[in-house]
Amino acid sequence: MLAGAGLVTFAGAGFVASQSPGLGELARANGLTFGAAVQGGLLGKDADYAATFVRETAIVVPEYEAKWATLQPAPGRFDLRPLDAVLRWARANSKPVRGHTLVWHTDMPPWLLAAIAESPARARAVLGAQIGAVLDYTQGQIRDWDVVNEVIADPAGSDTPQTEPGDLRASPWLAALGPSYIETALRMARERDPLLRLTLNDYGIEEDTPAAAEKRRRLLALVRDLLSRGVPLDAVGLQGHLQIAKPFNPAVLTAFIKELRDAGVAVLVTELDVRESWDAPQDLAARDALVAERTYAFVSTALAAGVRTVLTWGLSEKYSWLLTEPGVAMPDQRTHRGLPFNAEWRRTPMWDALARAFAGR
Ligand code: XIL
């Protein structure tokens, strides 16, 4: 009896949700773009997942299908099928696709680590082959790529501070080619496809902590240096993996976005989700309210500062890295509520916060 009543309520809520416009449509009505990271493999497996992406997004980004280990698992052996599944779905559903990501310090297959350590010449050749093959394949459908991801070193006081000196991440690419690997990748991408929007994407730059301030300084210095030397770069992606435990100050984010835009790049929010504090309240409504409050503060500030595109990293906590990634997942039995849908595909208060921010309310 009770279970039956619950079922009716759930079906009713789902029906209502499916009738009202999704975040993509709400954003578009205000000249904005909303989207989310998608996993191609789930689109054919989970009908709720696919329906929610169709209804809610106006752009998607493959969550892992365009990373190196998936695209080129062995030297010269490209596997474009996982990415192609996303691209085909996106074409069928008229969704633009962002690319993520050509150069990253992680998700590098063992052969790649060995190859780029051989010599700078080999490292450049391998980089060029990857960028060439991938951009040729996605040309026309992906207009926007995270060419370099997470290249700034995490300063002292960060969650994962870098012990090696330097403002750039001590990545295998830095070891192989020195700081020039960033501009090499950007130039290769521009040469291959002159119409691409070339983006530099990073995290740990959104909040009001001394470590984030130092990371912002490093990122701005890099962007200004690249642009001053004529290196092609069109946009900076703020990943937006927010943490409620860290203070947020709208004035600080506004100033940073303004500095980036004044330097000459567009600014996007590319991977928004919210990690709850480990001492979050037990009451679910109270937790949801905190997540919604932080989301609204961050997104409304970013939009007021000139951001036009916002993507969340997934749509539902059902499949989020927030639940599974060590160091990200909550340490107790609870799971982060940091996305616009819960595991039952119901809109969370974070959904409302995004809708309100897009509407400028
Ligand atoms: C994460 C994915 O969500 C995981 O499924 C995967 O195992 C590791 O990568 N910053 C990024 C994303 O730029 O590519 C990461 O995605 C999350 C952090």
Side-chain angles (χ1 to χ4, degrees):
M1 176 69 190
L2 272 180
L7 200 64
V8 170
T9 310
F10 174 63
F15 179 75
V16 171
S18 68
Q19 297 304 300
S20 62
L23 290 171
E25 211 175 315
L26 295 174
R28 188 179 288 139
N30 293 283
L32 307 169
T33 302
F34 172 78
V38 71
Q39 297 182 38
L42 294 174
L43 289 166
K45 280 199 197 114
D46 184 331
D48 289 325
Y49 183 87
T52 308
F53 269 86
V54 169
R55 191 182 64 241
E56 299 287 336
T57 64
I59 187 169
V60 293
V61 58
E63 185 166 339
Y64 66 87
E65 293 86 342
K67 292 174 179 170
W68 200 305
T70 302
L71 283 175
Q72 199 185 165
R77 187 167 70 74
F78 286 89
D79 184 0
L80 298 159
R81 288 168 299 179
L83 178 57
D84 199 49
V86 174
L87 296 179
R88 270 185 285 116
W89 179 89
R91 277 197 299 274
N93 291 282
S94 308
K95 311 281 185 195
V97 182
R98 296 193 77 238
H100 174 84
T101 171
L102 294 171
V103 181
W104 197 22
H105 65 281
T106 184
D107 211 55
M108 299 175 73
W111 75 263
L112 176 61
L113 293 167
I116 70 171
E118 264 174 37
S119 69
R122 181 83 207 277
R124 264 190 296 274
V126 164
L127 183 60
Q130 171 85 355
I131 290 179
V134 175
L135 294 191
D136 281 359
Y137 189 72
T138 62
Q139 188 157 27
Q141 190 167 1
I142 298 186
R143 309 275 2 114
D144 186 344
W145 266 96
D146 291 332
V147 178
V148 285
N149 194 33
E150 304 181 345
V151 299
I152 306 294
D154 281 332
S158 306
D159 295 343
T160 50
Q162 174 166 307
T163 48
E164 297 88 340
D167 289 359
L168 293 180
R169 179 181 294 279
S171 81
W173 289 107
L174 187 72
L177 287 170
S180 69
Y181 82 90
I182 296 171
E183 69 177 273
T184 299
L186 289 163
R187 288 189 199 280
M188 283 174 169
R190 172 58 36 96
E191 203 169 299
R192 203 71 182 199
D193 183 352
L195 297 179
L196 269 190
R197 177 152 86 163
L198 310 178
T199 304
L200 180 151
N201 198 44
D202 220 317
Y203 69 90
I205 44 183
E206 297 85 357
E207 281 130 355
D208 187 18
T209 63
E214 172 59 14
K215 199 161 179 181
R216 283 191 289 273
R217 188 195 66 72
R218 294 175 179 185
L219 187 140
L220 255 171
L222 173 64
V223 166
R224 288 184 175 140
D225 173 58
L226 292 170
L227 294 173
S228 74
R229 291 185 297 106
V231 177
L233 175 68
D234 305 305
V236 165
L238 314 178
Q239 290 188 1
H241 294 294
L242 306 182
Q243 297 186 35
I244 289 181
K246 299 193 171 164
F248 175 70
N249 181 342
V252 167
L253 182 70
T254 301
F256 180 51
I257 293 173
K258 182 174 184 326
E259 284 177 302
L260 286 169
R261 296 184 69 215
D262 287 350
V265 287
V267 182
L268 307 76
V269 173
T270 51
E271 306 185 12
L272 176 66
D273 55 23
V274 185
R275 288 176 217 177
E276 294 181 79
S277 171
W278 287 2
D279 58 9
Q282 290 301 325
D283 176 53
L284 202 55
R287 290 171 56 192
D288 282 351
L290 289 171
V291 169
E293 181 190 22
R294 178 58 63 94
T295 300
Y296 182 79
F298 175 74
V299 174
S300 61
T301 301
L303 296 178
V307 165
R308 288 285 162 271
T309 301
V310 175
L311 288 93
T312 49
W313 203 243
L315 281 177
S316 154
E317 65 181 67
K318 186 167 183 186
Y319 300 112
S320 168
W321 80 312
L322 289 175
L323 274 59
T324 52
E325 190 83 2
V328 173
M330 287 179 92
D332 51 24
Q333 293 305 306
R334 296 181 295 172
T335 50
H336 288 296
R337 298 270 295 178
L339 285 165
F341 286 82
N342 69 13
E344 287 80 41
W345 300 105
R346 291 189 195 221
R347 290 170 173 173
T348 61
M350 181 173 167
W351 188 98
D352 296 307
L354 288 167
R356 266 194 312 125
F358 296 152
R361 281 189 275 123

